[in-house]
């Protein structure tokens, strides 16, 4: 298998702010001190996303600043029992699923203790007052405001290592799925609401991703970089993760750690969890790509998409690798009304499998076989869950041959999974974790625990009309020619009418002109080594993409062009493009 030039560390080079980013604590302290007036009192606020290493700030940054008064905002936070009482309805007893939180950050703090901290700050008449920690801006807005940030994926790594539990509780050794649930349904929602207005006015943003390797960027430079990102194609930083069913294709194709047992997932374009690399001269800043969503939703998504989804990126591209691996879990996703009523999400996880590669004999499990009696299949699944027998997938589920460039459509309510021997580009909506496993082939997770099965939820949402004939007619390779020109042709490949995402495939050996038509586009180069994305009017610098790379074209870009490039000149390439239907 030939290794590709897949870029694991894509960057956006921000123009015009090369001298507004700093590396290392000494330079960071100098930049912060330069922002302070020469005399009088200055309140420096360092607000933090949960998961930031406060001990590192206390050890490396605070002593260098020599404040007159230091205030840790977390001393005003409610204790663990009060937080549990506040959040019990959202946490639920389920291992995986909670209810989406609408809390605001002040609810997590004692109003009396916040008032006391404000009085402490007010009493200082001269010198530097330093307030730090999650929620620091609740104590004082700051004469100088720093926001310390990091991406959700990095937070998850710190959780897995046992370094951190959830914010406000000592639960480092709790089941990782329960910790992730609390972060997903509550903490990240609350802190995204809190940090959005802070990022809009922050004097600086502190990149705390790499331990003891801090980077700082001015707020003006960061905001300019995010604004620039909405006017050009770009990629977020992919991350890779092993799994019990994981395969070997990505490891070989993308030059990943050869000592790893496997790689199951690649989140190639999941902006709520990925990072974004912004380069300012010699300094590379890593921030959550979610910050782009929070600060620039309209030019990124377009007016219609923003009106429908708010500051949420609704399209997800990720990879599922079972080459030399195992079947995915047999699963189903909730119907829209179910996810709204049970979990507080306003749209569901419709999806599709685009087959990047497949071994001979590979299959996709999709829909029930004609004649299946619902209760009979559910009884068989329950018996399998109790360990009495394996689930009789041959009897109940369609197994459809999967070949390279096939496209399988999976509207919510359709039972499905990818079989072993496939490399899937999953194109889906983005509610993330709302997968109801029905059967997991009797496996344990990488943590040695049984993987959670949610038959009680799945039984409520399976659409039993999606049998063999219906699936073959509506969900398998719904390829429709749309247009063609000199050296290119366009095909519609889906998705189903119940899904809000439209997908098109372009085969091309010559330049193809595209247009965002006011909505964000997400594309992947599914055939060919290299392509060049440019603007017919020179509105942005040409952008090179490689095989299997997912890239985003913001709504504000408008017209753009994709051409074969480098070694791919003279060959036929293909992209798959997704957008939200109008």
């Amino acid at each position: 298998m030939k290794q590709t030039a897949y870029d694991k560390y894509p960057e956006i080079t921000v123009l015009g702010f090369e001298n507004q980013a700093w590396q290392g604590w000494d330079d960071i302290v100098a930049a912060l001190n330069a922002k302070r007036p020469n005399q009088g009192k200055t309140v420096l606020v360092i607000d933090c996303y949960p998961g930031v290493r406060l001990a590192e700030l206390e050890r490396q940054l605070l002593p260098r600043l020599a404040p007159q008064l230091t205030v840790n905002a977390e001393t005003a936070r409610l204790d663990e029992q009060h937080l549990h009482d506040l959040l019990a309805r959202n946490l639920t007893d389920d291992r995986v699923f909670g209810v989406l939180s609408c809390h605001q950050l002040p609810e997590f703090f004692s109003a009396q203790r916040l008032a006391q901290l404000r009085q402490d700050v007010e009493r200082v008449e001269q010198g530097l007052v330093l307030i730090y920690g999650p929620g620091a801006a609740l104590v004082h807005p700051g004469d100088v405001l720093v926001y310390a940030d990091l991406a959700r994926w990095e937070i998850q790594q710190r959780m897995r290592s046992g370094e951190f539990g959830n914010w406000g509780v000592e639960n480092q050794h709790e089941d990782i799925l329960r910790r992730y649930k609390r972060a997903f349904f509550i903490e990240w929602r609350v802190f995204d609401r809190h940090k959005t207005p802070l990022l809009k006015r922050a004097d600086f943003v502190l990149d705390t991703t790499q331990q003891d390797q801090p980077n700082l960027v001015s707020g003006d430079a960061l905001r300019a970089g995010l604004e620039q990102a909405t006017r050009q194609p770009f990629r977020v930083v992919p991350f890779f993760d092993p799994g019990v069913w994981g395969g070997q294709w990505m490891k070989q194709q993308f030059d990943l750690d050869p000592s790893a047992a496997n790689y199951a997932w690649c989140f190639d374009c999941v902006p709520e969890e990925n990072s974004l690399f912004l380069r300012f001269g010699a300094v590379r800043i890593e921030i959550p790509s979610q910050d782009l969503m929070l600060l620039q939703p309209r030019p990124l998504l377009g007016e219609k998409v923003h009106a429908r989804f708010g500051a949420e990126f609704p399209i997800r591209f990720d990879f599922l690798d079972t080459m030399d691996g195992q079947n995915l879990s047999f699963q189903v996703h909730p119907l829209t009304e179910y996810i709204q009523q049970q979990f507080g999400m306003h749209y569901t996880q419709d999806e599709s499998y685009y087959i990047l590669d497949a071994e001979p004999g590979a299959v996709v499990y999709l829909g029930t076989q004609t004649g299946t009696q619902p209760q009979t299949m559910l009884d068989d699944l329950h018996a399998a869950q109790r360990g009495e027998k394996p689930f009789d997938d041959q009897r109940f589920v369609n197994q459809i041959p999967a070949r390279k460039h096939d496209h399988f459509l999976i509207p919510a309510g359709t039972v499905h999974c990818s079989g072993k021997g496939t490399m899937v580009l999953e194109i889906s909506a983005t509610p993330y974790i709302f997968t109801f496993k029905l059967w997991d082939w009797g496996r344990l997770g990488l943590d040695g625990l049984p993987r959670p099965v949610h038959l009680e939820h799945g039984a409520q949402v399976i659409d039993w009309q999606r049998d063999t004939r219906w699936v073959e007619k509506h969900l398998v390779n719904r390829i429709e020619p749309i247009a063609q020109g000199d050296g290119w042709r366009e095909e519609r490949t889906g998705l189903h009418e119940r899904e809000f995402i439209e997908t098109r495939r372009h085969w091309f050996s010559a330049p193809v002109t595209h247009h965002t038509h006011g909505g964000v586009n997400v594309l992947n180069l599914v055939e060919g080594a290299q392509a060049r994305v440019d603007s017919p009017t020179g509105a942005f610098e040409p952008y090179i993409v490689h095989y299997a790379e997912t890239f985003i074209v913001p709504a504000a870009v408008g017209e753009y062009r994709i051409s074969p490039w480098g070694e791919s000149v003279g060959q036929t390439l293909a992209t798959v493009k997704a957008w939200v239907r109008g």
Side-chain angles (χ1 to χ4, degrees):
M1 185 185 296
K2 182 181 178 183
Q3 193 178 102
T4 71
Y6 181 93
D7 185 0
K8 299 187 288 292
Y9 308 101
E11 298 180 348
I12 297 174
T13 299
V14 182
L15 305 176
F17 292 86
E18 292 79 5
N19 297 319
Q20 294 197 33
W22 302 267
Q23 287 180 310
W25 290 118
D26 289 341
D27 287 351
I28 288 171
V29 169
L32 295 179
N33 282 332
K35 190 72 173 177
R36 294 168 54 186
N38 293 327
Q39 56 185 5
K41 174 183 174 181
T42 301
V43 179
L44 170 61
V45 169
I46 306 176
D47 209 316
C48 304
Y49 210 74
V52 169
R53 295 183 174 104
L54 297 187
E56 184 177 338
L57 300 183
E58 292 164 348
R59 183 180 69 253
Q60 298 281 18
L61 179 59
L62 274 56
R64 285 178 164 95
L65 291 168
Q68 293 290 111
L69 173 67
T70 301
V71 174
N72 181 347
E74 289 196 310
T75 60
R77 188 184 59 211
L78 297 175
D79 62 33
E80 189 168 333
Q81 185 58 52
H82 278 92
L83 291 179
H84 179 78
D85 294 343
L86 175 68
L87 303 175
R89 172 68 183 93
N90 297 87
L91 285 174
T92 75
D93 293 327
D94 191 277
R95 186 180 173 199
V96 176
F97 301 116
V99 177
L100 211 62
S101 166
C102 293
H103 294 92
Q104 300 293 326
L105 189 59
E107 297 177 66
F108 293 70
F109 286 81
S110 161
Q112 182 178 0
R113 291 203 291 273
L114 279 177
Q116 182 60 56
L117 293 181
R118 292 179 188 125
Q119 291 176 14
D120 294 343
V121 171
E122 189 66 28
R123 279 195 287 268
V124 177
E125 297 180 354
Q126 290 287 327
L128 177 67
V129 175
L130 198 158
I131 310 169
Y132 72 100
L138 298 178
V139 179
H140 191 283
D143 302 316
V144 179
L145 173 63
V146 179
Y147 195 83
D149 214 353
L150 75 169
R152 293 179 182 178
W153 178 240
E154 173 61 23
I155 296 171
Q156 291 175 61
Q157 301 316 297
R158 297 180 188 187
M159 283 183 171
R160 289 181 184 181
S161 72
E163 180 182 0
F164 282 105
N166 290 103
W167 184 65
V169 295
E170 294 294 328
N171 66 344
Q172 289 91 326
H173 303 295
E174 189 178 26
D175 175 8
I176 185 61
L177 293 180
R178 293 185 181 275
R179 283 182 281 155
Y180 178 86
K181 176 188 73 171
R182 185 172 180 137
F184 177 89
F185 284 95
I186 300 170
E187 290 164 20
W188 297 338
R189 310 295 166 173
V190 170
F191 275 91
D192 281 355
R193 294 184 195 111
H194 175 68
K195 80 172 178 178
T196 300
L198 301 184
L199 288 174
K200 291 178 180 178
R201 67 177 181 87
D203 298 288
F204 301 96
V205 171
L206 181 63
D207 166 12
T208 67
T209 308
Q210 299 295 322
Q211 189 165 15
D212 294 319
Q213 298 180 45
N215 298 298
L216 186 76
V217 64
S218 76
D220 288 341
L222 177 77
R223 290 183 287 270
L226 296 179
E227 194 276 332
Q228 179 187 315
T230 67
R231 294 184 274 109
Q232 64 183 65
F234 69 93
R235 295 183 62 225
V236 295
V237 182
F239 61 83
F240 304 86
D241 214 21
V244 294
W245 43 263
Q248 304 298 315
W249 191 93
M250 290 191 294
K251 185 196 297 188
Q252 299 171 32
Q253 285 273 0
F254 299 160
D255 189 27
L256 304 177
D257 181 3
S259 68
N262 66 61
Y263 288 96
W265 289 276
C266 168
F267 280 23
D268 201 42
C269 179
V270 188
E272 284 197 21
E273 301 216 16
N274 289 100
S275 295
L276 189 67
F277 283 157
L278 300 177
R279 177 161 291 281
F280 300 87
V283 181
R284 184 174 75 185
I285 299 292
E286 182 171 358
I287 60 166
S289 53
Q290 175 73 348
D291 290 353
L292 177 61
M293 282 295 315
L294 297 176
L295 267 64
Q296 295 286 338
R298 291 189 175 193
L300 177 63
L301 299 178
E303 290 292 331
K304 290 182 180 179
V305 179
H306 179 249
R308 182 173 178 180
F309 294 97
E312 292 187 16
F313 199 90
I315 302 171
R316 161 180 170 154
F317 275 41
D318 62 287
F319 296 134
L320 309 172
D321 182 357
T322 69
M323 299 285 274
D324 296 319
Q326 304 175 27
N327 296 343
L328 271 66
S329 59
F330 180 55
Q331 59 194 242
V332 67
H333 298 300
L335 302 172
T336 301
E337 59 268 30
Y338 196 84
I339 204 170
Q340 290 173 340
Q341 294 166 6
Q342 298 293 320
F343 310 114
M345 295 292 294
H346 62 281
Y347 64 103
T348 192
Q349 189 164 321
D350 293 304
E351 63 186 30
S352 70
Y353 289 166
Y354 189 92
I355 308 300
L356 276 181
D357 205 351
E359 297 173 349
V363 300
V364 164
Y365 296 76
L366 190 62
T368 56
Q369 291 200 22
T370 298
T372 293
Q373 296 299 310
Q375 194 57 53
T376 303
M377 177 170 143
L378 291 173
D379 289 345
D380 205 75
L381 285 166
H382 280 290
Q385 185 181 16
R386 293 191 299 267
E388 298 170 6
K389 60 182 290 297
F391 173 59
D392 194 350
D393 56 284
Q394 296 278 349
R395 176 184 176 189
F396 294 109
V397 187
N398 301 308
Q399 297 184 30
I400 302 173
R403 294 171 291 267
K404 186 173 183 175
H405 293 304
D406 283 347
H407 200 179
F408 300 92
L409 316 180
I410 313 173
T414 310
V415 295
H416 67 281
C417 71
S418 173
K420 62 183 179 180
T422 59
M423 182 60 205
V424 172
L425 168 62
E426 186 178 54
I427 303 171
S428 72
T430 323
Y432 300 101
I433 65 171
F434 293 95
T435 295
F436 300 149
K437 292 185 180 69
L438 305 173
W439 165 241
D440 199 41
W441 316 98
R443 297 179 295 217
L444 298 178
L446 293 180
D447 55 7
L449 299 173
R451 300 182 79 208
V453 172
H454 285 95
L455 276 176
E456 70 282 5
H457 287 306
Q460 301 298 314
V461 301
I462 295 172
D463 189 330
W464 298 99
Q465 297 181 37
R466 294 177 186 168
D467 60 8
T468 307
R469 180 180 295 182
W470 193 93
V471 164
E472 290 175 347
K473 180 179 180 181
H474 296 283
L475 302 185
V476 179
N477 285 331
R478 303 296 298 156
I479 311 299
E480 176 187 351
I482 295 294
Q484 62 181 22
D486 185 15
W488 63 270
R489 72 180 189 273
E490 178 184 1
E491 301 166 333
R492 182 178 185 273
T493 69
L495 298 184
H496 186 261
E497 64 182 0
R498 287 186 63 91
E499 303 179 75
F500 63 75
I501 297 173
E502 179 74 15
T503 59
R504 298 287 172 87
R505 180 169 60 198
H506 288 79
W507 297 96
F508 60 102
S509 56
V512 184
T513 299
H514 298 251
H515 203 291
T516 63
H517 297 293
V520 65
N521 290 185
V522 183
L523 300 94
N524 188 283
L525 184 64
V526 297
E527 186 70 37
Q530 271 186 312
R532 181 179 190 258
V533 188
D534 69 356
S535 166
T537 62
F540 57 83
E541 289 294 315
Y543 190 73
I544 306 301
V545 295
H546 306 94
Y547 175 61
E549 290 180 353
T550 300
F551 59 101
I552 296 169
V553 181
V557 166
E559 188 177 42
Y560 60 102
R561 182 170 53 200
I562 305 179
S563 310
W565 191 249
E567 63 184 280
S568 295
V569 172
Q571 301 177 4
T572 299
L573 292 72
T575 56
V576 167
K577 175 172 68 173
W579 72 90
V580 176
R581 292 179 180 137

